[in-house]
């Protein structure tokens, strides 16, 4: 039988979370409707947070927090192992431009036969972390499931996997992100629309004054 972990593991799926380890005798699955958590975005943050917090009501808890993102909640781009640094940088820019979220974090991970760019919607991990920090948990790792051999919700996730974490931590304190948080295409579009409207207003003012 696998050894039960004292860390709290939060496994993120497309429309649900699974809480395991720490004070839980068995994994608990929280399934959200589309008005709360849909298409990998938190729609109703208040209800999302309340659902998580309710699982720790009247519990005295503390410990490390490990957030694991399932394969279908990660965006992945595979790059040939023999790629140059310049080619990798081009792929990074393209990868970020295609991610449909306001903010993302990602990491370039080297596997046996290729590199993989793996990214997530940072709002999900940040909301989970902030909610559970208030309950006494310290973030240890944010991992894509693909880097965990024989993943089991009831087993210990070795701390050696921190090298693959999308967020760098030291004794529960975040020391940085592996890559800068980038605005998504939606933000760029909003900015361009705003600039265009501003220019139209200036043009209208000039026309009125000349008239």
């Amino acid at each position: 039988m696998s050894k039960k972990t004292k860390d709290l593991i939060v496994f993120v799926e497309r429309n649900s979370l699974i809480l395991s380890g720490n004070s839980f005798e068995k994994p608990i699955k929280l399934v959200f409707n589309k008005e709360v958590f849909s298409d990998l975005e938190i729609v109703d943050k208040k209800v999302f947070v309340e659902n998580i917090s309710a699982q720790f009501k009247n519990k005295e808890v503390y410990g490390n927090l490990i957030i694991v993102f399932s394969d279908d909640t990660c965006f992945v781009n595979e790059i040939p192992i023999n790629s140059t640094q310049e080619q990798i940088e081009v792929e990074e820019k393209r990868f970020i431009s295609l991610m449909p979220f306001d903010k993302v974090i990602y990491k370039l991970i080297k596997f046996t036969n290729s590199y993989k760019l793996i990214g997530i919607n940072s709002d999900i991990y940040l909301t989970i972390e902030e909610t559970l920090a208030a309950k006494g948990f310290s973030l240890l790792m944010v991992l894509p499931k693909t880097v965990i051999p024989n993943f089991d919700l009831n087993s210990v996730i070795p701390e050696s996997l921190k090298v693959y974490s999308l967020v760098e931590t030291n004794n529960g304190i975040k020391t940085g992100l592996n890559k800068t948080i980038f605005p998504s295409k939606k933000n760029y579009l909003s900015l361009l629309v705003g600039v265009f409207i501003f220019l139209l207003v200036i043009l209208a003012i000039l026309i009125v004054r000349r008239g």
Side-chain angles (χ1 to χ4, degrees):
M1 179 178 286
S2 59
K3 183 180 178 182
K4 182 178 171 63
T5 178
K6 293 182 180 179
D7 299 328
L8 174 64
I9 299 173
V10 178
F11 186 52
V12 181
E13 299 180 309
R14 288 194 70 88
N15 68 339
S16 63
L17 301 177
I18 301 177
L19 310 180
S20 182
N22 199 261
S23 61
F24 295 102
E25 291 297 323
K26 60 182 180 179
I28 293 178
K29 186 167 187 173
L30 307 179
V31 180
F32 300 95
N33 60 44
K34 63 182 181 180
E35 286 75 28
V36 178
F37 185 38
S38 176
D39 294 327
L40 302 180
E41 290 193 279
I42 299 172
V43 181
D44 189 330
K45 185 173 181 178
K46 182 175 182 291
V47 175
F48 186 82
V49 168
E50 287 175 349
N51 272 263
I52 298 172
S53 298
Q55 308 309 313
F56 301 91
K57 191 175 182 179
N58 301 322
K59 283 186 178 182
E60 186 177 342
V61 292
Y62 61 89
N64 290 325
L65 168 64
I66 300 174
I67 304 174
V68 180
F69 281 76
S70 65
D71 293 338
D72 63 354
T73 60
C74 295
F75 287 77
V76 181
N77 182 29
E78 194 163 357
I79 302 174
I81 196 70
N82 59 350
S83 297
T84 64
Q85 183 62 37
E86 183 178 349
Q87 290 171 326
I88 290 174
E89 289 175 359
V90 169
E91 286 298 316
E92 283 184 331
K93 291 177 181 177
R94 188 175 72 86
F95 179 69
I96 289 301
S97 71
L98 294 174
M99 291 191 69
F101 305 119
D102 290 337
K103 292 183 179 180
V104 301
I105 52 171
Y106 73 98
K107 184 170 186 176
L108 179 69
I109 299 177
K110 185 177 181 180
F111 289 82
T112 304
N113 298 314
S114 68
Y115 292 103
K116 287 184 181 180
L117 286 164
I118 302 178
I120 61 170
N121 178 357
S122 63
D123 187 46
I124 298 174
Y125 112 77
L126 283 169
T127 302
I128 294 171
E129 181 202 5
E130 290 168 2
T131 302
L132 292 172
K135 298 297 180 182
F137 292 98
S138 299
L139 184 67
L140 182 62
M141 296 181 272
V142 178
L143 298 170
K145 175 179 170 289
T146 189
V147 302
I148 308 173
N150 304 314
F151 177 65
D152 180 349
L153 279 165
N154 293 309
S155 297
V156 174
I157 296 178
E159 197 166 337
S160 59
L161 292 181
K162 280 185 73 173
V163 294
Y164 301 117
S165 179
L166 299 176
V167 178
E168 297 172 5
T169 62
N170 183 23
N171 294 324
I173 301 173
K174 283 189 290 186
T175 57
L177 303 174
N178 281 290
K179 292 291 180 181
T180 307
I181 294 181
F182 290 82
S184 70
K185 290 169 68 179
K186 289 188 293 185
N187 282 359
Y188 286 127
L189 181 59
S190 298
L191 178 61
L192 289 174
V193 170
V195 171
F196 179 72
I197 292 173
F198 175 77
L199 291 175
L200 283 178
V201 171
I202 296 298
L203 180 61
I205 293 172
L206 291 174
I207 291 173
V208 171
R209 285 182 176 177
R210 288 183 179 181

